[in-house]
Amino acid sequence: MNAYNDLTTLKSRLDITVTTHDTALLALLVAASRQIDELCNRFFYVDSATRYFDGAGSVIFLDDLLAVTTFKLDEDGDATYEVTMAIGDYVLYPLNKMPKIYAKISSDSNYGGFASGVRKGVEIAGNFGYGDGRSATPYHASGDTVQDAGGLTATQTTITVTSGGNFSAGQTIRIESEQIYIKSISSNTLTVDRACNGTTGATHAKDTAISIYDYPAPVEEAALIQAMRWWKRRETAF
């Protein structure tokens, strides 16, 4: 679950102060975000996943890639990825921008290619997505922390924070390596969906820092514009 903007910003743009329509407005933001993904043929959040690619020679083209956890090869085509490439065996491109969209065998690699000729010969685990287009870690510190007295369990669906005003419904937050989606806020309590975007639900101690995911500014604005259009359309004859 992801929205490319948040409920507070949308309501401000629409001059809405009541909470009556919060559920509908948030649904519009999510729908607008998925429409953006479809139209752009890429997504702008961070998906922690394992993906597969056909083997290639010295160059392999990838999905938008932000970070690699493991890069494995099935060199003999037996559907077992027995070779784990070291980070020095390949170079990700473009060199000075994110995301990375292809890899080349490095000049001092132990391998001549990426399981060339093997269908589904490459397995990459890592973080995929366009993110904010600048970094492998497209999020910023919220300035807030987990305030539940005993910390968070791995499945708990509410989070106590110092100030609920530091967050908004529709945001995706990060606590350690877990992504969490905020569905609603009441005072200093966030109601959330846990273990989002391929991450795993985990325990988190009290006072653990919370970060908020960022998206490219044009994408944030596009999500707002489309959600506002849909909302205003309900006032028309059709």
Side-chain angles (χ1 to χ4, degrees), residues 77-160:
D78 65 351
T80 299
Y81 298 88
E82 57 279 308
V83 173
T84 299
M85 300 187 80
I87 192 169
D89 287 319
Y90 57 88
V91 180
L92 297 172
Y93 291 85
L95 292 174
N96 302 307
K97 292 196 301 182
M98 300 296 292
K100 307 302 183 183
I101 57 174
Y102 65 100
K104 291 184 177 181
I105 292 291
S106 66
S107 55
D108 59 349
S109 175
N110 292 318
Y111 306 95
F114 299 100
S116 182
V118 179
R119 300 298 184 198
K120 199 181 173 185
V122 178
E123 177 192 88
I124 300 176
N127 290 336
F128 294 87
Y130 194 85
D132 63 0
R134 300 185 300 272
S135 71
T137 54
Y139 47 82
H140 67 275
S142 70
D144 213 320
T145 58
V146 174
Q147 288 300 302
D148 296 85
L152 296 180
T153 69
T155 58
Q156 187 175 325
T157 56
T158 60
I159 302 172
T160 304

Side-chain angles (χ1 to χ4, degrees), residues 148 151-160 173 175 178 180-186 188-196 201-202 204:
D148 296 85
L152 296 180
T153 69
T155 58
Q156 187 175 325
T157 56
T158 60
I159 302 172
T160 304
I173 59 176
I175 305 179
E178 181 184 358
I180 298 168
Y181 177 75
I182 303 175
K183 297 194 293 184
S184 64
I185 300 174
S186 177
N188 298 327
T189 300
L190 316 180
T191 298
V192 299
D193 284 335
R194 300 289 301 275
C196 295
H204 305 287

Side-chain angles (χ1 to χ4, degrees), residues 4 31-44:
Y4 292 148
S33 302
R34 300 294 73 77
Q35 185 181 66
I36 290 168
D37 293 344
E38 183 175 352
L39 289 171
C40 294
N41 197 30
R42 71 185 346 148
F43 55 87
F44 299 89

Side-chain angles (χ1 to χ4, degrees), residues 162-214:
T162 303
S163 174
N166 290 326
F167 304 93
S168 177
Q171 290 177 334
T172 298
I173 59 176
R174 179 184 172 98
I175 305 179
E176 295 177 300
S177 61
E178 181 184 358
Q179 292 190 43
I180 298 168
Y181 177 75
I182 303 175
K183 297 194 293 184
S184 64
I185 300 174
S186 177
S187 185
N188 298 327
T189 300
L190 316 180
T191 298
V192 299
D193 284 335
R194 300 289 301 275
C196 295
N197 302 323
T199 61
T200 302
T203 59
H204 305 287
K206 185 177 182 295
D207 297 322
T208 301
I210 304 173
S211 298
I212 301 172
Y213 274 87
D214 300 313

Side-chain angles (χ1 to χ4, degrees), residues 38-99:
E38 183 175 352
L39 289 171
C40 294
N41 197 30
R42 71 185 346 148
F43 55 87
F44 299 89
Y45 55 91
V46 178
D47 184 34
S48 180
T50 299
R51 297 194 174 193
Y52 297 90
F53 305 88
D54 286 343
S58 61
V59 180
I60 185 169
F61 290 91
L62 311 169
D63 300 335
D64 289 344
L65 178 63
L66 297 171
V68 174
T69 303
T70 59
F71 198 130
K72 295 184 177 182
L73 306 179
D74 171 18
E75 293 191 309
D76 55 10
D78 65 351
T80 299
Y81 298 88
E82 57 279 308
V83 173
T84 299
M85 300 187 80
I87 192 169
D89 287 319
Y90 57 88
V91 180
L92 297 172
Y93 291 85
L95 292 174
N96 302 307
K97 292 196 301 182
M98 300 296 292

